Amino acid sequence: KLGASKASVQASKGTVKNVVVTSNPETHGMRLSFELDPQNENVIELTAALTFESGQTAETWAFRWTA
């Protein structure tokens, strides 16, 4: 069993807030959501990872946000 999960979200610029991890009943997986305040930036590199209580890390996600 994987146990509880914890999300880690980083942004190269701007501010990340309200990080939430919930179960996704349609996929029987997890859903990660967050809010990004770009603070007038035009390009921001985002990374996110989901780590379980067992120490196992789910996929790492990377995305380039543009205004």
Side-chain angles (χ1 to χ4, degrees):
K1 186 172 178 175
L2 297 173
S5 59
K6 179 180 176 185
S8 171
V9 181
Q10 292 85 34
S12 62
K13 298 174 183 170
T15 303
V16 173
K17 60 184 177 179
N18 298 327
V19 177
V20 177
V21 179
T22 57
S23 65
N24 184 336
E26 288 191 32
T27 65
H28 304 287
M30 305 302 291
R31 177 176 293 177
L32 168 63
S33 64
F34 60 90
E35 294 179 32
L36 173 67
D37 178 357
Q39 300 175 346
N40 297 318
E41 296 292 337
N42 292 320
V43 178
I44 299 174
E45 302 293 332
L46 296 166
T47 58
L50 195 58
T51 304
F52 295 95
E53 213 171 53
S54 66
Q56 182 177 352
T57 300
E59 65 210 42
T60 299
W61 175 81
F63 181 77
R64 177 174 288 154
W65 178 90
T66 57

